[in-house]
Amino acid sequence: MAHRSSTGPVCRLKLVTLLFALSPELLLLGAGVKLQDNGYDGLLVAINPQVPENLNLITNIKDMITEAAFYLFNATRRRVFFRNIQILIPATWTAHNYSKVKQESYEKANVIVAEQNEEHGDDPYTLQHRGCGEEGKYIHFTPNFLLNDELAAGYGSRGRVFVHEWAHLRWGVFDEYNNNKPLYINGQNEIQVTRCSSDITGVFVCEKGLCPHENCIISKLFREGCTFIYSSTQNATGSIMFMQSLPSVVEFCNATTHNQEAPNLQNQICSLRSTWDVIRDSSDINHSLPWSGVELPPPPTFSLLQAGDKVICLVMDVSRNMAEADRLLRLQQAAELYLMQVVEIHTFVGIVTFDSKGEIRAQLQQINSDNDRRLLVSYLPTAVSTEEEANTCAGIKRGFEVVEKKMGRADGSAMILVTSGRDEHINNCLLTAVSSGSTIHSIALGSSAVRQLEELSHLTGGLKFFIPDKSNCNRMTEAFSRISSGTGDIFRQSLQLESVCETVLPQHELVNSVTVDRAVGNHTIFLVMWQTSVPPEIVLSDPSGRKYNTSDFDISLAFRTASLRVPGTAKHGRWTYTLNNMYHSPQALKMTVASHAFSLAISPATVEAFVERDSIHFPQPVIIYAMVRMGLYPVLNATVMATVEPEAGDPIMLQLLDNGAGADVIKNDGIYSKYFFSFTVSGRYSLTVHVHHSPSRSTPAHSVPGSHAMYVPGYIANDNIQMNAPKKTGQRGMEEQWGFSRVSSGGSFSVLGVPAGPHPDMFPPCKITDLEAGKVEEDVVLSWTAPGKDYDQGQATSYEIRMSKSLQHIRDDFNNAILVNTSELNPQQAGTRETFAFSPKIVTNEVEHEPDGEIQESHIVYVAMRAMDQNSLKSAVSNIALVSLSVSPKSVPTFRRDDLILKGIFAALGLIAIICIVVVVAHCTLNRKKRELKKENGTKLL
């Protein structure tokens, strides 16, 4: 297996070099956004097909990005701007001579325009699933945000908002405000509003207008009915990641202007670094010299694209290799499900097979009915060839012939390429495939499938899958079920509810159940698959108790499948099924259940499984993700299990978490994640994710996740309050009577350089990313989520906690910061919430000196930590937490009106008492003087 560790990157480098030499522009195809000569090319904006047609959307998108191009250019100090943008128009909109799509699709868009279901807000946001400095998934705008000019009062101009979101998406910086922690105590022991930079000024506004600071803060929290309003006229020029709407804000916070004390995500996730520091370290800025001269760059150009008829060609290997490990049988079963259930209505489908040469089995035929689907199934191959050679290029060539005969060009089409053979000549058709405008999804069967197969998918923007030979389960059907039309219309897509596989003994039963939840039920299919010539006995019961037996299923002895398409809408609730193995030997029995959305009024739950990188080198871990949503809303408290299958060895199960620790960046955003590092061999690994959500698991109301552009409630202009319209909250709760289940294939990834046999421990504990610090009486109390022995799994051995009164000291020289005694602190199991208290007296007597020698009084202590395993492998240093050591802030306000009255009474009584004392003393003094004067006069008389 060792030879594989050196081929992947070398092959990719050779292929990219070949493409660049022949046609540099081909590198942009399927590759996303590229930066060339200071300009971004290939930015894709896609409008969801559920958005009603409105040509003003297109106009406003153009205006927004044009404004953003120049704003970004200046904000990055003349380094980058937007050059070429593509806007993907839904096929549901009227055609207006738009260009035809090639490999662009809604799922690949950098920016999506989509409605939010039910009660929603219009916050622009970016979905960020990775850490500081890492790219996010997409930017989302609602149609209302793009069409309603009144929203500019709260968000600022659309171009400014776009740059705010672009920084989230491209450079992995985070918001500098915090709605959950609007106040904090700074190093000078003053209560401050969370902002960046701290030079931005404003005032408190109560229900009746302007009010003093002390009337709006109760125990360091906002009093209900109070708001902090910023002045519309400012001198501060930063920061775009705080309040892009202010006219004076034209740059990102840098090391000079950054407010490192503010309790916001930027400081937490990026270890108190300024947004410009993070952006400057990106490859975009690192590799871009400032634009020469004084001129502005040209405005961006826009291409309007629209998908035509959906066209798919199945290109399948039938060489002798396909006879091994039931490869052909599993392909037949998966392709039948794909044609009968997954492919959307009105799609054109063709079928091609290949061994040493290609053969057209079915020209393009449009699916308009179930009979059309059954006809296409009849063209699937039924036997393997006698030839061992598998000429992939011959199959691809025939596939293009099928598409081009009907459509003229292959632009916008998709090809599903399935092969199991070694083909050292696949490079011969690489250029043709990449320049065709078609997207190629590849499915590799067994470990002998050629390595360059994945390059076809990578360079054309397709998905790639790996099906291990030893797997008797539904990996093939899961792969086919993942390949959708790419339109983004979840109401027309097939959703996989169940995928179960179990080896059953003779005369034994596989008994299980599946929930048809309230959001699905249309076009529901139950597909049973087996291995031998004897089908199992089937009993299926719906929630009302009605039974379906084997005779109710459509049996295909050739493909060894039995399918039941439920007429109308399947009953919502729990369906139970029993599969009885009637064969005289054990065999694998499988059940797959798929369905479509029940109504446009209810968004069905969806799952998208993926990995951070599709190729890594040992000992780097893989991060596995599963995005679980209902429409655009996250689903919380789900049980998410990932199954990873290597080329050799047993499958590995992992539970993915959404707890904001370990591999998971943001808590409760509906993106579940986990580190995977249990590598058995070099080679391909297959990923599948199963999601279950129980109705007994409470799901609180929540908003759309992501990093949002701030909505400003109002401004102070010329001493007048100018309030904006209240923002829609976007809150909703999820009520699900029966819960739901979903299955999604995450495709495949490759691991290179795995040593043969046992190898030493090379996996340290993961970085702690959610360290928080607070003060309770005289102690500093820390809390964090426990890392594992190996990344986020197992149990670490010890913690190292250090503190300092200098941020620079603890960030740049952690090893020499003051060590906290943790001898009594024993790490818990990974994922457990930890707490630890200690006295900060060791640092309270430190004296901080400014560069000019002046002494600076600071009430802030910075704390960071790392974990260690039994082999002394250490995690990276955690995020830096800061805590105020002051007992009470300088500007501590009077807390309640009752307190004000009580203290006023005490003050009045005190004043009266003082006056009385003064009067008494004066009276006594006067009497004494009178007596003395009388005595003196008497003496004189004597």
Side-chain angles (χ1 to χ4, degrees):
M1 303 295 289
H3 68 281
R4 292 176 182 162
S5 65
S6 61
T7 57
V10 174
C11 289
R12 177 165 294 183
L13 178 60
K14 289 180 178 178
L15 294 172
V16 170
T17 303
L18 172 65
L19 285 175
F20 185 80
L22 293 174
S23 181
E25 64 272 11
L26 290 180
L27 288 177
L28 293 176
L29 295 176
V33 179
K34 293 292 183 184
L35 180 64
Q36 301 182 89
D37 300 326
N38 298 91
Y40 287 112
D41 295 318
L43 174 65
L44 179 60
V45 181
I47 302 172
N48 190 281
Q50 293 295 320
V51 173
E53 182 169 357
N54 188 330
L55 297 183
N56 289 332
L57 269 178
I58 301 173
T59 301
N60 289 359
I61 290 170
K62 290 180 178 180
D63 292 343
M64 173 178 67
I65 298 178
T66 299
E67 179 194 359
F70 298 113
Y71 188 55
L72 180 69
F73 180 70
N74 291 323
T76 57
R77 304 173 187 181
R78 300 178 62 84
R79 280 179 171 82
V80 295
F81 58 93
F82 299 112
R83 180 187 288 117
N84 296 314
I85 292 88
Q86 298 168 307
I87 302 177
L88 183 58
I89 312 298
T92 53
W93 286 24
T94 306
H96 288 284
N97 199 29
Y98 301 125
S99 299
K100 190 174 182 180
V101 298
K102 291 186 177 180
Q103 289 145 350
E104 301 85 7
S105 68
Y106 184 87
E107 277 81 3
K108 300 175 189 176
N110 313 105
V111 181
I112 62 171
V113 178
E115 297 278 10
Q116 306 229 46
N117 297 318
E118 303 179 23
E119 288 300 319
H120 61 273
D122 289 300
D123 269 356
Y125 71 88
T126 302
L127 199 60
Q128 292 181 267
H129 63 291
R130 300 163 71 189
C132 183
E134 303 284 351
E135 286 192 62
K137 277 197 75 67
Y138 59 74
I139 298 169
H140 171 250
F141 296 110
T142 65
N144 190 51
F145 172 80
L146 293 169
L147 295 172
N148 186 353
D149 293 337
E150 294 179 0
L151 292 176
Y155 294 105
S157 67
R158 296 188 187 103
R160 285 171 168 258
V161 171
F162 191 89
V163 171
H164 177 100
E165 299 307 329
W166 178 257
H168 285 313
L169 179 74
R170 185 71 177 184
W171 299 314
V173 295
F174 292 82
D175 288 325
E176 293 169 335
Y177 65 92
N178 190 338
N179 290 330
N180 295 323
K181 294 182 180 179
L183 300 172
Y184 70 98
I185 301 175
N186 67 7
Q188 284 67 52
N189 196 29
E190 299 168 334
I191 293 179
Q192 292 287 337
V193 176
T194 302
R195 62 197 189 276
C196 190
S197 81
S198 54
D199 293 335
I200 294 178
T201 59
V203 296
F204 285 97
V205 174
C206 303
E207 294 173 340
K208 296 182 180 180
L210 296 176
C211 56
H213 181 168
E214 57 269 17
N215 285 5
C216 258
I217 299 175
I218 306 174
S219 300
K220 307 170 194 175
L221 299 175
F222 266 129
R223 183 190 293 271
E224 186 177 355
C226 282
T227 310
F228 191 78
I229 303 296
Y230 297 90
S231 300
S232 60
T233 302
Q234 302 277 348
N235 294 321
T237 57
S239 167
I240 292 171
M241 302 315 294
F242 172 64
M243 191 183 291
Q244 72 288 330
S245 57
L246 284 174
S248 66
V249 170
V250 293
E251 63 182 16
F252 298 97
C253 264
N254 53 42
T256 303
T257 59
H258 177 59
N259 181 8
Q260 65 191 25
E261 298 177 350
N264 54 37
L265 276 181
Q266 173 63 24
N267 280 329
Q268 177 187 335
I269 297 179
C270 294
S271 297
L272 309 187
R273 296 176 68 201
S274 73
T275 54
W276 179 247
D277 284 344
V278 176
I279 294 169
R280 185 184 54 198
D281 288 345
S282 70
S283 59
D284 285 357
I285 305 302
N286 252 333
H287 299 158
S288 299
L289 295 174
W291 182 271
S292 58
V294 296
E295 299 85 5
L296 292 175
T301 60
F302 296 87
S303 303
L304 304 183
L305 312 175
Q306 189 175 39
D309 295 319
K310 294 184 289 292
V311 178
I312 294 172
C313 188
L314 304 183
V315 180
M316 298 175 288
D317 184 358
V318 291
S319 67
R320 198 166 63 197
N321 293 323
M322 291 293 292
E324 301 175 12
D326 283 339
R327 291 173 183 168
L328 180 64
L329 174 63
R330 289 185 289 159
L331 172 58
Q332 291 168 332
Q333 294 172 340
E336 179 188 19
L337 175 67
Y338 182 75
L339 294 173
M340 292 300 299
Q341 176 72 12
V342 179
V343 180
E344 294 181 12
I345 196 79
H346 306 314
T347 303
F348 287 89
V349 179
I351 298 176
V352 167
T353 58
F354 67 93
D355 44 25
S356 63
K357 58 184 180 300
E359 178 187 356
I360 298 173
R361 294 184 64 89
Q363 296 287 354
L364 287 185
Q365 299 184 33
Q366 190 174 34
I367 295 177
N368 294 307
S369 66
D370 285 350
N371 289 333
D372 295 329
R373 295 180 183 275
R374 294 187 185 94
L375 179 62
L376 282 164
V377 169
S378 70
Y379 291 122
L380 291 173
T382 56
V384 298
S385 166
T386 58
E387 297 187 26
E388 186 173 357
E389 181 184 357
N391 186 342
T392 307
C393 286
I396 291 174
K397 180 180 177 181
R398 290 296 187 194
F400 287 144
E401 287 179 15
V402 168
V403 174
E404 291 168 357
K405 180 178 180 180
K406 178 78 173 178
M407 300 298 171
R409 291 183 56 83
D411 290 346
S413 65
M415 185 179 296
I416 302 177
L417 176 61
V418 186
T419 184
S420 64
R422 296 180 180 273
D423 184 353
E424 304 303 328
H425 305 291
I426 195 171
N427 287 352
N428 294 341
C429 56
L430 184 64
L431 181 60
T432 301
V434 173
S435 61
S436 67
S438 180
T439 299
I440 299 179
H441 307 290
S442 62
I443 302 178
L445 307 184
S447 58
S448 62
V450 64
R451 295 287 155 184
Q452 289 88 337
L453 181 66
E454 280 90 347
E455 292 304 320
L456 284 169
S457 297
H458 174 76
L459 293 172
T460 63
L463 301 172
K464 54 189 179 62
F465 304 90
F466 165 62
I467 313 299
D469 278 339
K470 59 181 177 52
S471 174
N472 287 322
C473 288
N474 295 342
R475 299 295 171 258
M476 189 91 76
T477 59
E478 291 158 2
F480 270 95
S481 296
R482 173 67 189 275
I483 302 172
S484 68
S485 63
T487 64
D489 190 351
I490 60 174
F491 295 99
R492 294 170 60 89
Q493 294 175 7
S494 177
L495 302 169
Q496 195 167 6
L497 312 186
E498 181 77 300
S499 180
V500 170
C501 168
E502 189 174 311
T503 299
V504 181
L505 296 172
Q507 304 304 317
H508 283 66
E509 297 175 338
L510 167 59
V511 181
N512 215 327
S513 63
V514 59
T515 297
V516 177
D517 58 271
R518 69 186 180 112
V520 297
N522 287 346
H523 309 295
T524 304
I525 186 171
F526 290 80
L527 179 66
V528 180
M529 295 165 279
W530 60 93
Q531 286 182 293
T532 68
S533 58
V534 180
E537 185 179 74
I538 306 167
V539 178
L540 174 67
S541 299
D542 72 10
S544 67
R546 177 183 174 181
K547 285 186 168 50
Y548 299 88
N549 299 310
T550 309
S551 59
D552 297 310
F553 283 69
D554 292 330
I555 308 293
S556 171
L557 295 177
F559 293 170
R560 298 170 193 174
T561 61
S563 61
L564 173 70
R565 294 180 68 86
V566 180
T569 300
K571 288 185 179 298
H572 296 145
R574 188 171 300 277
W575 293 61
T576 59
Y577 57 88
T578 302
L579 308 180
N580 187 2
N581 181 17
M582 308 302 291
Y583 194 59
H584 57 74
S585 298
Q587 67 168 325
L589 301 181
K590 314 171 202 177
M591 171 67 88
T592 289
V593 183
S595 187
H596 285 70
F598 167 65
S599 166
L600 293 177
I602 306 174
S603 296
T606 59
V607 179
E608 180 188 352
F610 56 97
V611 293
E612 183 179 27
R613 294 181 179 88
D614 60 4
S615 181
I616 62 103
H617 199 283
F618 182 89
Q620 181 185 13
V622 172
I623 300 181
I624 297 173
Y625 298 98
M627 186 162 61
V628 188
R629 298 182 296 177
M630 281 190 168
L632 291 168
Y633 292 94
V635 174
L636 309 184
N637 298 327
T639 301
V640 183
M641 301 300 300
T643 302
V644 181
E645 287 194 73
E647 292 188 4
D650 296 327
I652 300 107
M653 301 281 290
L654 288 172
Q655 182 173 0
L656 311 185
L657 300 176
D658 185 17
N659 62 351
D664 194 63
V665 175
I666 305 294
K667 183 178 181 179
N668 289 340
D669 63 352
I671 300 179
Y672 298 72
S673 56
K674 197 82 168 181
Y675 285 105
F676 173 71
F677 49 85
S678 301
F679 308 125
T680 54
V681 294
S682 292
R684 298 180 176 107
Y685 286 72
S686 174
L687 169 65
T688 302
V689 168
H690 291 249
V691 175
H692 295 275
H693 190 275
S694 170
S696 62
R697 301 290 298 276
S698 61
T699 298
H702 50 273
S703 62
V704 174
S707 301
H708 296 241
M710 178 191 281
Y711 183 85
V712 181
Y715 292 102
I716 298 296
N718 300 322
D719 295 329
N720 294 320
I721 303 173
Q722 297 177 353
M723 298 301 292
N724 296 320
K727 188 185 73 168
K728 293 182 180 179
T729 62
Q731 299 289 321
R732 73 184 289 273
M734 187 186 73
E735 297 180 2
E736 178 56 64
Q737 182 177 353
W738 303 285
F740 67 82
S741 61
R742 297 289 186 270
V743 182
S744 176
S745 172
S748 65
F749 58 90
S750 297
V751 181
L752 310 174
V754 180
H759 48 78
D761 180 15
M762 302 182 70
F763 307 116
C766 66
K767 175 181 176 179
I768 296 166
T769 59
D770 60 350
L771 177 65
E772 296 180 350
K775 186 171 182 293
V776 178
E777 296 180 348
E778 298 301 318
D779 286 342
V780 171
V781 179
L782 304 179
S783 63
W784 67 94
T785 301
K789 175 179 72 71
D790 299 325
Y791 293 107
D792 52 5
Q793 297 168 46
Q795 191 170 344
T797 302
S798 62
Y799 290 121
E800 178 184 1
I801 300 175
R802 293 183 181 269
M803 60 182 176
S804 174
K805 295 184 77 175
S806 167
L807 167 65
Q808 184 175 2
H809 185 203
I810 198 167
R811 184 179 65 190
D812 301 337
D813 194 12
F814 176 81
N815 290 332
N816 290 317
I818 296 174
L819 185 65
V820 176
N821 183 359
T822 58
S823 58
E824 297 182 0
L825 176 58
N826 296 314
Q828 303 300 306
Q829 192 71 20
T832 305
R833 195 65 185 171
E834 301 258 44
T835 57
F836 178 67
F838 66 92
S839 172
K841 290 182 180 179
I842 193 170
V843 296
T844 53
N845 296 323
E846 281 187 348
V847 178
E848 304 295 333
H849 293 273
E850 292 291 331
D852 59 5
E854 293 183 3
I855 295 178
Q856 177 194 19
E857 181 185 5
S858 175
H859 300 266
I860 292 290
V861 170
Y862 299 93
V863 185
M865 65 186 300
R866 60 186 174 191
M868 184 184 302
D869 69 8
Q870 76 279 9
N871 294 319
S872 299
L873 294 179
K874 296 180 179 180
S875 70
V877 177
S878 71
N879 65 292
I880 300 171
L882 60 161
V883 61
S884 171
L885 301 181
S886 304
V887 176
S888 57
K890 291 179 182 176
S891 56
V892 167
T894 309
F895 293 150
R896 293 188 305 270
R897 184 181 178 187
D898 292 345
D899 292 339
L900 283 172
I901 296 172
L902 187 60
K903 290 191 175 183
I905 293 172
F906 288 156
L909 291 174
L911 181 60
I912 293 170
I914 291 171
I915 292 172
C916 291
I917 292 171
V918 170
V919 169
V920 169
V921 170
H923 180 73
C924 292
T925 303
L926 183 62
N927 287 339
R928 186 175 69 249
K929 286 185 176 181
K930 286 182 177 180
R931 287 194 300 270
E932 290 176 353
L933 181 60
K934 185 175 182 181
K935 184 177 181 181
E936 183 180 349
N937 291 335
T939 304
K940 288 181 178 180
L941 289 172
L942 290 171

